[in-house]
Amino acid sequence: MDFESLSADLRALQQRALDEAAAAPDPESLELLQIRYLSKKGEITTVLRGIGALPAEDRPRVGAIANAVSEAVKAALAAREAELHAEVQTFRLAGERVDVTLPGRPRSRGTLHPIPETMAAIAEVFGRFGFVVYEGPEVEDDLTNFQMLNMPPDHPARDLWDTLYVDIPGRLLRTHTSPGQMRVMQSTKPPIRALLPGRCFRYEAVDASHGFEFFQVEGLMVDEGTSLADLKGLLDEFAHALFGPRKTRFRPGYYPFTEPSVAFDVECVVCDGVGCPACSRSGWMTILGAGMVHPVVLQYGGIDPERYQGFAFGMGVERIANLRHAVPDLRYYLENDLRFLEQFR
Amino acid sequence: MRVPLAWLREYVDVQLTPEQLAERLTLLGMEVKGIEQWGADWRSVVVGELLTVEKHPYADRLHLTTVNIGSGEPLHIVCGAHNIAPGQRVPVALPGAVLPGDRHIERTEKMGIASEGMLCSGDELRITADAEGILILPAEMPLGRQLSDLYGDAVLDVDVKPNRGDALCLIGLAREVAAATGAALRWPEIAVEEAGGPIAERLRVEVREPELCTRFVGRWVSGARIGPSPDWVQMRLQTAGMRPINNVVDASNYVMLELGKPTHTFDGAAVNDGKIIVRRAFQGERLETLDHVDRELTEDTLIIADPRGPIGIAGVMGGADSEIGDRTTEIAIESAIFDPVSIRRTGHRYALRSEASLRFEKGQEFRLARIGADRVAQLTLAWAGGSVARGRVDTAPAEPNSSQLAFRPRRVSKLLGTDVTAAEQRALLRRVGIETEEAGTAPRIQVAVDPRPLAVPAGEDLVIVATVPTWRRDLAIEADLAEEIARVRGYESTPAHLPATLMPAYRPSPLKVRDMIRETLAGAGLTEVVTHALVSSLDEARLLWPEDTSEPAIPGDLAAQSGDEIVVTNPLSAQHSVLRRHLAASLLDVLSLNERQGRGDVAVFEIGKGYARVGDGPREWTRLAFLMTGAAEPASWNRVARPYDLDDARGIAELLCQRLGLPTPSYVPDARGFPFHPGRALVARAEAGSEALSGRMAEMHPDVLARWDLRAQRVIIAELASPVLDSAVPARVRVEPIPRFPEVERDLAVIVAEGHTAAEVEATIRRHGGALLRGLRLFDLYRGAPLAATEKSLAYRLVLGARDRTLTEAEVDAAVAGVRSGLESEIGAHLRT
């Protein structure tokens, strides 16, 4: 054995090993090649056994060649292994393909009823202006529902509120949220900014635009110098928040508990003010009633009308919801047909 | 109130289109609800002239006519009326015409002769009440013109508010038009030619209730001839929405519409002894009213009587016996002022509210009693002839002067939020007939009147005194004048700005907790419903939902335990006659409605009030209920359907408790049976300090489903009450430090007899787990071999740990052994390992 033949053997061995590694069909074959060439009893080691017959000065040279061969084989095996892994993974993933255009697994979410949702939307707007929410009783007394609101017994304006009475003397089902004004004034001191949402009742036959149960939101603001101009500014903000940039109209109205009284209109949401059946061709839709709190009412509330003044407003929640969602019939709200409710996704 | 513009123009010039006028009135506070085109339903009705009128050859009662309509050949028209003659001008409905009531006119054949249209009666056109004869038009009516061009009018529907009784008439609205446009108001000329003898020989009046009848003015007309009113009068009444009756009744109605003064006319011959007495009815007295209803009168009813008995209910309706009839010649005119409250009560008591009583209820201008009587006498004379007796009977001839009302222009500006000078305020008031002057000595300012009057000294402010016209009974306080100033000035000119005053103190919103729960439940797949608070009294009996549990007492929920139903005393229908105490029945109704629409999968919730009577007072508290039936997870291409069951209800309750910061609820079985499935009902309760949530959950008994006619086989309902639902502040989370030492999990399969509930097993484990047991979760429930048929296996995962150290194996083993022996000794469990 001489140096030349030994190094030639190693080079041949390298070539063979590299060829075999490249052709290895699976990880198991690579394992066998690893054992055959690189293990302690592997072929490289076997070749090196002949090193003892070489002159001492040649031995390190052969050792270096053997190391290089060993590294090359290791690298070839690793490369092939990576290649095989990639092939297998590609094959596996290819087999796992799904139709990604299928509909998803349903996550069912319920919907929220438009009445409380509309109340929340109203409360959100007025909340921005410091109005805090109170709630008053639905089974009210005549005193608070009418008399303290400047409607003594037999007042002709009581006709505006046909009333349901209950079997508790002096009590009735509140016909509006306005008695809440009285309860707020009696329980707190100015400055007052209060919002009173809730259910109301009237003796009224049911049709597309009337019901005997309905919801209102009442507002009350009392302070020194709170004026009609403040009311107008606030209602404009409210209308714009709920109905977008529409024209608004402020005109005289009538309520026994306000003086001056106001009716507040927005440009018809159906025809944008052109005039259509929905707005009786006027181009306007009334969305709420309001006014400066009557001095009689302030006094019943324990507030000095010479020092303080304020405004109140009241709106029908169904009316606001109708205009926002184009609901054609008031009866939809309390009927709870899921075909209606589920549209409020 | 219907306002025909042609009639209105008699009192004020109107240069505006009906639409413009409607807007001006609306902005002045007289809201116009709609504009009707009167005559719009006379289509193709033209003015024609009768050329010939001959007998029909085959029918005695018919005429053959030829009619010139101004162009083309004369038309041949067959007509059944008898008041026609050549030369008259008449309304002709051409073939293709449409008359009121959607009556279509075509070319026809009558008894063998063709008719090319129809001659119209006043009734057919709804112009007059005459259905017998053809409407004879004035000779100057142009031939061939559409009748709607000549008689058509715009009628405004004005919503006059209850405080403005003075504007419930044409004069009143003409005043408003004058204020809006600056045009002058024209009063009708009211003058009565008195050709008869002194009225004292005809009529005496005794008012026994001067509080209830503050003034009675009487007039008398003799020798009148009753018949139809002139056509133009009938037409005006028709356009204003009132049916013509006869010339005397029409005169009374005309004056009511014109001046707002209701009056009544009696057949003078039926007023015995010519004496009218205004008094309260006696017990047992009866009267047949004009609507031919025989009424028993109550003692507090104010009536008009003669010495023999009642002849009318004051201000509401006259009696049938004294009605103006064809043979009436003597007419007694009543023009009185009655107490509004008395009239209102009477109207309600007899369920009789007339145009007259509506006006009396709103109060009447005092001097109108005199003016109204004169006007009715004048028109009766003009339309029915006869002679008017000299003078009036008048029980209170002294008419009060206009009242004075002081105001501070600075206060008006402050209320409106804009500076309006005193001079401008005075000018604005003048436009609605309110004269003003600067106050001499500082008068007191009327800030409020009854029921809480307040008058204050004016102080340093400039004070103006307004003279309130007698008809403006609504102007009583300073703020009333502020409204007058604002509305004449135009609300639109009020500036808009946002309040810049102090904010109130923070207050948490009671809606917040409920909104959070609503979002949570919607996220869990439930749809929110809002149902009626008024329910059928039968619902409670039909469902028998038990009262809320009473131990331990839940704060704020006392009403549910002991309250009675609150009943509506004047319900609209039996379906909505009591206030509900529970929501469950309402949810069954929702299910029923949706089943009828073909829906089988229904999951809904409601947050609503319960109402009950406790002692003498009402109680209201917030409740939460949900109903689930059908598929919880509907079938899809990638899963099978899973039906709702009671586990879902408990899961939702547990979710709610988490959101509300309450501990996991505990469950106690409820085996009462109806309305629940006897083996599938429970009471749930979660408590943390003063906060608590409790309620019932159950699969409903099949008999309940049958009572609601439901197709669903299994319906789960839960109904909970909690003071948390009414509190504004959600519970605050308190953080526990994250454990620093590892925790150990051990699984335990507990085999127990069926009789032991999971709640018992869990409670036992917790009791014996001690401080080291930091978590416990049931992860499997097994029945079947190799267990005995009477046994079940509950598999729990225990989490053990300590805050200050890592547990040793020995500590863990000891803890588990403690749990194990506790289970064995207390509930006879054995453990599978």
Side-chain angles (χ1 to χ4, degrees):
Chain A
M1 262 310 173
D2 61 11
F3 169 75
E4 293 305 325
S5 66
L6 205 58
S7 56
D9 283 355
L10 280 171
R11 274 190 292 273
L13 188 111
Q14 174 177 345
Q15 189 56 51
R16 186 155 41 84
L18 294 191
D19 290 347
E20 285 176 10
D26 50 41
E28 290 73 31
S29 316
L30 286 173
E31 188 81 4
L32 292 176
L33 289 176
Q34 151 93 22
I35 293 164
R36 194 160 110 214
Y37 290 105
L38 298 175
S39 67
K40 283 182 182 167
K41 291 177 183 170
E43 292 195 23
I44 294 173
T45 318
T46 309
V47 171
L48 283 176
R49 282 203 192 110
I51 203 167
L54 290 183
E57 66 272 19
D58 284 343
R59 286 180 198 166
R61 292 167 61 201
V62 173
I65 293 167
N67 274 341
V69 169
S70 177
E71 287 305 315
V73 171
K74 261 187 211 161
L77 289 174
R80 181 57 183 157
E81 188 179 10
E83 213 173 281
L84 280 174
H85 179 76
E87 268 173 35
V88 167
Q89 194 173 50
T90 304
F91 180 76
R92 179 172 60 84
L93 294 182
E96 287 175 357
R97 194 178 64 202
V98 296
D99 181 353
V100 296
T101 67
L102 282 167
R105 181 170 290 113
R107 299 270 146 172
S108 47
R109 183 188 150 78
T111 55
L112 292 172
H113 195 283
I115 292 289
E117 282 296 276
T118 303
M119 287 201 206
I122 295 166
E124 209 257 319
V125 177
F126 286 106
R128 290 278 312 262
F129 296 101
F131 282 71
V132 293
V133 175
Y134 291 79
E135 292 183 306
E138 294 169 27
V139 183
E140 260 295 359
D141 48 51
D142 188 274
L143 203 63
T144 318
N145 194 77
F146 286 123
Q147 298 181 41
M148 289 180 171
L149 293 175
N150 200 25
M151 276 179 282
D154 299 303
H155 192 285
R158 285 194 177 208
D159 284 353
L160 300 175
W161 294 273
D162 284 327
T163 309
L164 288 164
Y165 294 91
V166 297
D167 60 348
I168 303 175
R171 306 282 182 151
L172 45 79
L173 300 182
R174 69 173 175 196
T175 56
H176 46 184
T177 42
S178 303
Q181 289 180 31
M182 192 52 58
R183 295 183 178 274
V184 169
M185 284 190 277
Q186 288 173 346
S187 67
T188 182
K189 295 263 166 290
I192 295 171
R193 298 188 192 195
L195 208 63
L196 292 134
R199 193 187 292 252
C200 304
F201 303 81
R202 279 183 205 167
Y203 187 91
E204 189 127 36
V206 176
D207 63 25
S209 47
H210 298 88
F212 56 88
E213 282 184 36
F214 56 95
F215 294 81
Q216 283 191 339
V217 174
E218 186 88 5
L220 174 71
M221 174 166 172
V222 180
D223 201 353
E224 293 177 12
T226 297
S227 71
L228 201 64
D230 291 326
L231 173 65
K232 195 175 180 188
L234 192 69
L235 293 183
D236 278 348
E237 286 295 317
F238 167 70
H240 295 153
L242 262 74
F243 300 106
R246 291 181 174 278
K247 279 193 249 166
T248 62
R249 189 169 79 167
F250 212 56
R251 62 182 170 87
Y254 170 71
Y255 302 98
F257 36 92
T258 51
E259 191 72 41
S261 299
V262 172
F264 185 66
D265 304 338
V266 292
E267 200 174 45
C268 177
V269 299
V270 178
C271 64
D272 292 332
V274 176
C276 69
C279 58
S280 303
R281 310 198 186 283
S282 69
W284 297 99
M285 286 181 150
T286 304
I287 60 166
L288 58 82
M292 302 304 294
V293 182
H294 196 284
V296 162
V297 178
L298 285 173
Q299 288 187 86
Y300 275 120
I303 291 174
D304 176 5
E306 274 294 279
R307 179 169 173 200
Y308 293 104
Q309 54 191 42
F311 60 72
F313 57 83
M315 69 186 93
V317 178
E318 287 88 343
R319 173 91 178 141
I320 305 289
N322 280 354
L323 299 184
R324 290 183 88 201
H325 303 294
V327 178
D329 191 324
L330 210 68
R331 285 168 289 203
Y332 279 21
Y333 293 110
L334 294 181
E335 204 172 65
N336 297 295
D337 190 321
L338 290 172
R339 294 172 299 177
F340 168 64
L341 296 178
E342 287 175 354
Q343 293 183 44
F344 293 88
R345 293 245 161 246
Chain B
M1 154 131 193
R2 288 172 60 90
V3 182
L5 283 195
W7 194 355
L8 183 71
R9 285 198 172 93
E10 191 160 319
Y11 314 105
V12 66
D13 289 334
V14 180
Q15 310 287 359
L16 308 168
T17 65
E19 289 74 21
Q20 288 168 333
L21 180 64
E23 191 180 4
R24 295 285 275 278
L25 283 172
T26 298
L27 291 178
L28 201 61
M30 294 290 158
E31 187 182 359
V32 177
K33 294 278 200 189
I35 303 173
E36 183 188 316
Q37 261 347 103
W38 177 259
D41 47 2
W42 313 322
R43 271 177 281 159
S44 294
V45 180
V46 300
V47 178
E49 181 185 20
L50 286 166
L51 299 177
T52 62
V53 177
E54 291 163 13
K55 278 222 160 306
H56 190 289
Y58 315 122
D60 286 348
R61 301 190 308 159
L62 294 182
H63 290 101
L64 301 184
T65 69
T66 51
V67 188
N68 171 16
I69 56 165
S71 59
E73 290 293 304
L75 301 177
H76 296 271
I77 294 177
V78 179
C79 177
H82 297 281
N83 67 330
I84 48 176
Q88 290 171 338
R89 302 221 160 173
V90 292
V92 183
L94 304 176
V98 183
L99 299 185
D102 204 32
R103 187 167 163 204
H104 291 254
I105 304 302
E106 300 298 343
R107 194 181 306 271
T108 56
E109 204 167 273
K110 285 181 180 169
M111 305 295 289
I113 295 188
S115 182
E116 302 168 301
M118 189 182 85
L119 307 185
C120 303
S121 72
D123 185 60
E124 280 161 337
L125 295 170
R126 309 250 165 95
I127 287 182
T128 68
D130 183 9
E132 298 294 312
I134 297 304
L135 181 69
I136 308 302
L137 301 172
E140 66 271 19
M141 287 291 140
L143 283 183
R145 280 288 290 279
Q146 291 280 339
L147 203 68
S148 55
D149 293 346
L150 302 168
Y151 289 102
D153 195 7
V155 182
L156 304 188
D157 179 13
V158 184
D159 180 19
V160 177
K161 307 299 185 198
N163 62 329
R164 291 299 305 274
D166 66 291
L168 265 179
C169 59
L170 286 143
I171 275 286
L173 287 164
R175 277 194 198 109
E176 294 292 311
V177 173
T181 63
L185 182 75
R186 281 189 297 276
W187 261 82
E189 201 166 304
I190 301 176
V192 188
E193 188 194 332
E194 298 172 336
I199 192 163
E201 293 172 5
R202 296 293 192 172
L203 180 68
R204 286 168 299 142
V205 175
E206 179 191 348
V207 175
R208 292 188 191 160
E209 300 286 345
E211 303 270 289
L212 301 184
C213 175
T214 47
R215 189 176 192 186
F216 191 114
V217 178
R219 280 276 195 180
W220 194 278
V221 181
S222 296
R225 290 170 62 91
I226 307 302
S229 300
D231 288 346
W232 67 269
V233 173
Q234 295 192 38
M235 203 172 96
R236 282 192 171 173
L237 293 173
Q238 291 268 21
T239 47
M242 203 147 227
R243 189 157 175 78
I245 309 290
N246 59 47
N247 43 14
V248 174
V249 174
D250 288 356
S252 173
N253 285 336
Y254 189 95
V255 170
M256 180 170 71
L257 295 174
E258 181 184 53
L259 305 180
K261 179 76 203 90
T263 58
H264 190 70
T265 48
F266 297 93
D267 182 339
V271 179
N272 288 292
D273 304 341
K275 175 154 190 191
I276 282 176
I277 304 161
V278 185
R279 60 166 170 88
R280 289 176 197 263
F282 302 132
Q283 177 80 44
E285 267 185 321
R286 305 188 74 87
L287 174 69
E288 184 188 342
T289 42
L290 279 175
D291 54 359
H292 300 291
V293 176
D294 183 50
R295 297 172 192 275
E296 180 164 347
L297 305 175
T298 55
E299 282 179 85
D300 47 2
T301 304
L302 187 71
I303 59 161
I304 310 296
D306 67 12
R308 290 202 201 157
I311 56 173
I313 299 176
V316 178
M317 196 176 270
D321 289 348
S322 55
E323 184 178 5
I324 305 289
D326 291 345
R327 286 194 292 276
T328 302
T329 57
E330 300 298 298
I331 293 151
I333 298 167
E334 163 213 308
S335 179
I337 309 279
F338 298 114
D339 174 55
V341 169
S342 160
I343 298 292
R344 188 178 157 82
R345 286 186 183 159
T346 303
H348 277 291
R349 180 171 315 109
Y350 297 99
L352 257 186
R353 298 180 77 188
S354 57
E355 288 285 322
S357 72
L358 284 175
R359 285 171 173 82
F360 278 121
E361 281 180 21
K362 293 176 173 66
Q364 291 264 303
E365 187 187 355
F366 200 74
R367 65 190 187 113
L368 267 187
R370 167 181 54 81
I371 298 169
D374 286 2
R375 184 67 168 156
V376 174
Q378 176 191 17
L379 297 181
T380 300
L381 185 64
W383 302 341
S387 62
V388 179
R390 198 168 67 249
R392 326 175 179 96
V393 176
D394 192 342
T395 62
E399 292 173 0
N401 293 325
S402 304
S403 58
Q404 308 271 296
L405 183 56
F407 70 100
R408 297 160 291 184
R410 193 187 64 81
R411 286 285 300 190
V412 171
S413 287
K414 191 179 169 199
L415 202 59
L416 305 186
T418 181
D419 276 328
V420 184
T421 63
E424 195 188 337
Q425 293 187 19
R426 295 173 65 179
L428 290 165
L429 289 174
R430 185 166 304 118
R431 282 174 58 186
V432 279
I434 300 172
E435 295 301 328
T436 56
E437 59 185 10
E438 276 194 34
T441 55
R444 288 170 79 78
I445 304 294
Q446 201 72 43
V447 174
V449 288
D450 279 342
R452 278 293 287 266
L454 176 68
V456 298
E460 302 299 305
D461 279 330
L462 168 69
V463 177
I464 304 291
V465 175
T467 301
V468 178
T470 49
W471 60 86
R472 289 302 301 273
R473 296 165 43 89
D474 59 312
L475 303 180
I477 62 172
E478 188 180 45
D480 292 332
L481 291 175
E483 182 175 77
E484 286 302 295
I485 289 162
R487 79 181 182 102
V488 179
R489 186 168 179 262
Y491 275 32
E492 276 305 279
S493 56
T494 304
H497 53 66
L498 286 173
T501 48
L502 286 176
M503 287 277 195
Y506 174 76
R507 181 184 147 90
S509 168
L511 301 182
K512 195 173 172 184
V513 170
R514 297 204 285 265
D515 283 346
M516 184 182 81
I517 294 173
R518 294 170 55 238
E519 279 292 348
T520 301
L521 292 176
L526 302 174
T527 288
E528 184 178 29
V529 298
V530 174
T531 61
H532 284 288
L534 288 171
V535 298
S536 162
S537 58
L538 300 175
D539 273 358
E540 292 249 332
R542 196 154 64 134
L543 185 57
L544 292 175
W545 189 272
E547 298 205 334
D548 290 359
T549 55
S550 53
E551 65 328 321
I554 300 159
D557 201 16
L558 302 166
Q561 293 148 28
S562 51
D564 294 328
E565 222 165 45
I566 297 177
V567 179
V568 175
T569 51
N570 60 333
L572 280 138
S573 73
Q575 269 75 48
H576 301 285
S577 56
V578 301
L579 283 168
R580 65 182 172 189
R581 290 183 293 182
H582 307 284
L583 311 181
S586 303
L587 296 188
L588 284 167
D589 290 341
V590 170
L591 172 58
S592 167
L593 176 121
N594 283 288
E595 266 198 355
R596 275 180 269 131
Q597 312 304 337
R599 283 291 294 253
D601 302 338
V602 173
V604 292
F605 77 95
E606 177 167 17
I607 298 177
K609 275 185 172 178
Y611 311 79
R613 172 189 184 141
V614 177
D616 290 339
R619 291 285 300 269
E620 300 171 21
W621 70 104
T622 305
R623 304 178 69 82
L624 161 65
F626 53 89
L627 174 151
M628 302 181 295
T629 187
E633 289 171 353
S636 175
W637 64 272
N638 52 6
R639 73 170 180 215
V640 293
R642 182 179 73 74
Y644 273 116
D645 58 27
L646 198 54
D647 303 349
D648 289 300
R650 290 196 306 277
I652 286 168
E654 288 156 21
L655 180 65
L656 277 176
C657 287
Q658 283 170 18
R659 291 298 282 128
L660 294 170
L662 293 168
T664 305
S666 60
Y667 305 119
V668 178
D670 179 349
R672 78 178 61 230
F674 191 93
F676 304 141
H677 186 305
R680 297 185 175 183
L682 64 101
V683 173
R685 180 189 315 287
E687 275 177 86
S690 64
E691 305 290 4
L693 175 141
S694 78
R696 299 178 184 282
M697 298 183 202
E699 183 176 314
M700 301 309 291
H701 195 281
D703 290 351
V704 169
L705 308 187
R707 288 185 184 187
W708 260 263
D709 284 328
L710 296 171
R711 282 195 305 274
Q713 299 295 307
R714 297 193 186 277
V715 175
I716 313 298
I717 296 186
E719 180 151 354
L720 307 165
S722 170
V724 180
L725 297 172
D726 285 315
S727 76
V729 193
R732 197 177 305 147
V733 171
R734 299 191 70 87
V735 168
E736 274 198 27
I738 297 169
R740 285 169 54 211
F741 299 93
E743 294 177 328
V744 183
E745 293 181 348
R746 284 294 173 86
D747 290 352
L748 217 55
V750 184
I751 298 164
V752 289
E754 282 285 0
H756 292 292
T757 62
E760 268 179 86
V761 175
E762 194 182 312
T764 311
I765 295 175
R766 286 191 189 282
R767 210 158 43 240
H768 293 278
L772 298 185
L773 181 63
R774 307 191 60 81
L776 179 65
R777 184 168 69 85
L778 177 72
F779 68 89
D780 190 34
L781 171 62
Y782 177 77
R783 293 184 174 89
L787 305 182
T790 56
E791 288 179 330
K792 62 188 173 189
S793 165
L794 300 156
Y796 288 93
R797 176 153 297 167
L798 283 62
V799 179
L800 298 147
R803 300 221 66 86
D804 55 351
R805 65 188 191 282
T806 304
L807 295 184
T808 64
E809 199 65 23
E811 280 178 300
V812 173
D813 288 344
V816 173
V819 168
R820 179 189 286 260
S821 69
L823 286 167
E824 283 167 355
S825 62
E826 289 184 18
I827 56 175
H830 53 278
L831 289 102
R832 221 169 31 159
T833 42

